[in-house]
Amino acid sequence: MSEAPSAEISREIARRRTFAIISHPDAGKTTLTERILRAGGAIQMAGNVRAKGERRRTKSDWMGIERDRGISVVTSVMTFEYGDCVFNLLDTPGHEDFSEDTYRTLTAVDCAVMVIDAAKGIEDRTRKLFEICRLRDIPIVTFINKMDREAQDCFALLDEIASTLALDTSPATWPIGRAAKFIGTYDLRTKEVHTKEPIGEDDPRIIQMREEVELAEAALPEFDRESFDAGHLSPVFFGSAMKEIGVTDLLDALVAYGPAPRAQQTETREVKASEDQVTALVFKIQANMDPNHRDRMAFARVCSGRLTRGMRLKHVRTGKQFALHTPQFFFARDRQLAEEAFGGDVVGIPNHGTLRIGDTLSESEDLRFTGVPHFAPEILRRVRLDDAMKAKKLRQALVELAEEGVVQLFRPQDGLSPIVGVVGTLQLDVLQSRLQGEYGVAIGFESTPYSLARWITGDRAKIEAFQDLNRSAMADDLDGDPVFLATSSFMMRRTIEMNPDLEFHDIKQIGMASV
Ligand code: G4P
């Protein structure tokens, strides 16, 4: 049904780069992000001069709680241009409690930069994030950071990546000098030496580099575009984010190899970025980003076509038309109206709660993108309201925050007070703090007898019958889909065995529950 892709769309998507940076805390993600944004002209900062207390206040931090705790709990998006490419950098939350949010962000990128601390190698959180990328075969570019410090042997690091992650590595650059004497990089592809100061061919650092590169070229695979695109081989860059060495190597490589926006899967077919008709996928909702404007921002990845301001798109879940009056791009702390956007771009769409995570916007065809799932929570708590007068406000606030994905909300079918579900306890702190800060509602949490939740699908009459028998363990989720709550895994297993006609899911996919 789509016409031949227009030349403009093809040209524009070919220069889009949408990526995220993944790393273990302290490996240098924040520093690298700042350097990248600076190289792209998105922020101007006065060198390294940052007050100590300010260190964690990166340009992408929005909320008080983040600053207080020195962690990044929300996902932000930053758009900048570099080397004739338009980059969309999606910031993944650093704390592991936010794996669901992270997962959703990673569904919206075409590539991930994996930052590794040269002294520590692969760490726990790097591995977990990598595994999420692997689920979708996202191409990975590796940046081995902190080469200006004592580091592990480069071959050992490459070996470790290959063996612990089962990922082939192909060095794209090689470090010149180590620790305090680290001065730059050698590009294996262009054979160029990149150093800030001149260095002679007879410098021992160059001699060592040449020897090692010879070994590396003999022993390690060459860069192979197809393997990279398939997520099997990672080009590796060495550098120091702090000293700004190797950062442009990395950006230049992203310009050169891409990847450009990939096709996205819907329930019915794959949508290519080069298609003419606009489609977009909402992967994140964020409320109250700016305390002065109580707006609600849906972050949507444009998947195809040319999106323009003022355009009307179909909101496929409700079938209603949705007018894009003020789509926005984000540049560090600033926003700007987006006049047009193409596949791979991420636009913020202010709205009053119409848009939800996983929603598809489409110019014509009824498509529903898949791959933005909800995960069964691992912690369930009943919300205790301190001031009964605020019950209505709390209900409303919980719905809004659940739509934003802060927590999952379950309304018990027996009419008792709502239960919130989270993957990690930090989410409970965020909920409590935001209810207080943004809605003026003070709450506490009470334990529930439940430890597991599963979505149920199957024949409607059989679900009804099951619900009648298990009313006190049944709840409805935000979409009104039925969820069974179990007190233990034993109980859950038994229930599943005894109800072979029903299916119990620990992941809810778009469109699944309405079976
Ligand atoms: P993160 O976002 O991954 O958690 O890491 P972040 O960038 O905050 O960096 C963690 C620490 O590592 C910081 O030091 C930062 O300055 C340092 N760092 C980052 N990149 C490099 C690098 O290339 N070389 C060296 N030597 N250090 C690097 P800190 O001591 O925690 O803070 P500060 O005293 O520097 O403010």
Side-chain angles (χ1 to χ4, degrees):
M1 76 157 283
S2 56
E3 303 158 40
S6 83
E8 187 199 15
I9 292 177
S10 302
R11 193 177 61 243
E12 289 296 334
I13 59 165
R15 66 186 200 102
R16 291 302 189 277
R17 302 288 182 266
T18 302
F19 73 110
I21 302 180
I22 58 173
S23 70
H24 190 85
D26 270 351
K29 189 178 81 165
T30 311
T31 313
L32 183 64
T33 303
E34 284 173 0
R35 299 301 189 256
I36 286 177
L37 292 177
R38 192 147 26 133
I43 51 171
Q44 263 113 38
M45 288 170 91
N48 283 324
V49 187
R50 271 189 298 164
K52 192 79 182 165
E54 291 267 303
R55 196 181 71 71
R56 293 291 185 169
R57 291 177 59 171
T58 69
K59 289 274 171 178
S60 60
D61 282 356
W62 275 313
M63 297 195 312
I65 186 161
E66 295 190 282
R67 289 197 291 270
D68 295 349
R69 287 168 173 255
I71 50 169
S72 179
V73 289
V74 292
T75 308
S76 52
V77 182
M78 280 156 285
T79 303
F80 61 93
E81 290 202 35
Y82 178 88
D84 199 40
C85 279
V86 176
F87 281 82
N88 294 291
L89 169 54
L90 278 60
D91 186 19
T92 51
H95 198 282
E96 75 178 290
D97 272 3
F98 283 76
S99 48
E100 196 171 14
D101 207 8
T102 305
Y103 188 95
R104 290 190 205 119
T105 299
L106 292 174
T107 62
V109 301
D110 300 307
C111 172
V113 172
M114 175 167 75
V115 181
I116 292 172
D117 182 324
K120 296 186 178 151
I122 300 282
E123 296 173 87
D124 197 33
R125 180 97 181 112
T126 332
R127 192 177 307 114
K128 281 195 192 131
L129 287 162
F130 171 79
E131 277 160 14
I132 297 176
C133 292
R134 169 146 290 169
L135 286 175
R136 297 185 56 243
D137 294 328
I138 296 174
I140 307 279
V141 175
T142 305
F143 186 80
I144 299 187
N145 191 32
K146 304 198 187 182
M147 288 303 295
D148 59 306
R149 279 197 194 156
E150 283 307 318
Q152 289 183 38
D153 174 69
C154 296
F155 288 100
L157 281 164
L158 295 175
D159 248 14
E160 190 191 358
I161 299 170
S163 59
T164 53
L165 303 182
L167 176 69
D168 287 341
T169 55
S170 167
T173 63
W174 202 263
I176 303 173
R178 298 289 188 279
K181 296 205 161 144
F182 177 53
I183 187 174
T185 56
Y186 171 79
D187 187 320
L188 275 78
R189 204 168 46 104
T190 61
K191 318 277 181 220
E192 281 169 11
V193 167
H194 298 156
T195 53
K196 287 197 171 156
E197 303 148 35
I199 182 166
E201 270 301 311
D202 53 354
D203 188 294
R205 289 172 292 185
I206 292 280
I207 295 168
Q208 181 196 3
M209 177 276 287
R210 297 241 181 260
E211 282 170 15
E212 286 174 346
V213 165
E214 201 175 311
L215 254 180
E217 284 179 329
L220 293 162
E222 256 184 65
F223 180 72
D224 174 77
R225 185 68 186 264
E226 226 169 276
S227 268
F228 168 61
D229 285 346
H232 300 324
L233 175 136
S234 176
V236 180
F237 295 83
F238 291 89
S240 161
M242 201 173 77
K243 299 247 152 102
E244 292 198 87
I245 301 177
V247 178
T248 48
D249 293 342
L250 177 71
L251 282 171
D252 290 339
L254 290 172
V255 170
Y257 321 130
R262 20 160 68 192
Q264 302 282 325
Q265 194 59 46
T266 70
E267 283 172 351
T268 41
R269 68 180 184 88
E270 208 177 59
V271 173
K272 292 204 177 65
S274 57
E275 291 182 22
D276 276 359
Q277 301 286 304
V278 174
T279 58
L281 165 65
V282 176
F283 65 94
K284 180 175 176 68
I285 303 283
Q286 196 169 324
N288 309 334
M289 260 172 46
D290 179 348
N292 300 321
H293 307 97
R294 290 183 66 90
D295 58 356
R296 208 155 165 210
M297 195 65 78
F299 290 90
R301 176 193 159 105
V302 179
C303 300
S304 62
R306 174 173 175 263
L307 180 148
T308 51
R309 186 153 80 89
M311 161 174 241
R312 293 173 80 79
L313 294 175
K314 187 194 268 184
H315 180 226
V316 178
R317 183 168 52 79
T318 58
K320 295 198 177 120
Q321 288 292 313
F322 187 94
L324 289 172
H325 295 303
T326 51
Q328 301 176 15
F329 285 131
F330 296 84
F331 306 95
R333 267 196 200 285
D334 306 320
R335 317 179 194 173
Q336 185 175 303
L337 284 179
E339 295 301 334
E340 59 172 19
F342 295 88
D345 282 339
V346 173
V347 291
I349 307 174
N351 72 105
H352 299 293
T354 314
L355 298 180
R356 294 211 195 148
I357 291 166
D359 280 357
T360 301
L361 292 169
S362 173
E363 192 172 349
S364 54
E365 205 177 328
D366 273 348
L367 295 164
R368 280 160 164 256
F369 287 105
T370 56
V372 185
H374 290 288
F375 296 92
E378 283 156 27
I379 300 163
L380 295 155
R381 292 280 182 274
R382 218 178 272 283
V383 174
R384 190 195 65 231
L385 181 61
D386 294 341
D387 176 358
M389 300 293 285
K390 297 208 165 144
K392 194 166 163 225
K393 194 156 192 194
L394 172 68
R395 266 203 303 279
Q396 158 95 15
L398 281 175
V399 168
E400 287 187 14
L401 293 172
E403 282 173 357
E404 208 188 304
V406 173
V407 292
Q408 289 184 48
L409 181 61
F410 301 106
R411 298 187 188 89
Q413 292 186 356
D414 59 14
L416 289 179
S417 55
I419 291 176
V420 291
V422 294
V423 178
T425 50
L426 183 71
Q427 278 173 276
L428 294 175
D429 297 351
V430 171
L431 177 69
Q432 199 168 27
S433 136
R434 292 191 59 184
L435 280 171
Q436 178 73 62
E438 291 161 32
Y439 299 90
V441 179
I443 59 148
F445 296 107
E446 281 166 4
S447 58
T448 66
Y450 310 113
S451 58
L452 289 167
R454 293 289 180 267
W455 284 276
I456 305 176
T457 58
D459 178 75
R460 225 163 259 286
K462 294 212 164 100
I463 295 178
E464 293 288 335
F466 178 83
Q467 296 191 128
D468 286 343
L469 279 174
N470 297 279
R471 194 61 70 192
S472 66
M474 288 304 302
D476 295 323
D477 76 0
L478 196 62
D479 303 319
D481 291 322
V483 178
F484 174 69
L485 306 172
T487 49
S488 65
S489 46
F490 170 76
M491 184 60 195
M492 185 61 84
R493 265 201 313 278
R494 228 178 106 80
T495 308
I496 294 172
E497 275 163 24
M498 287 167 60
N499 293 277
D501 295 339
L502 296 177
E503 279 189 63
F504 295 76
H505 307 268
D506 59 359
I507 293 179
K508 176 175 161 176
Q509 291 284 355
I510 302 300
M512 176 195 85
S514 47
V515 176

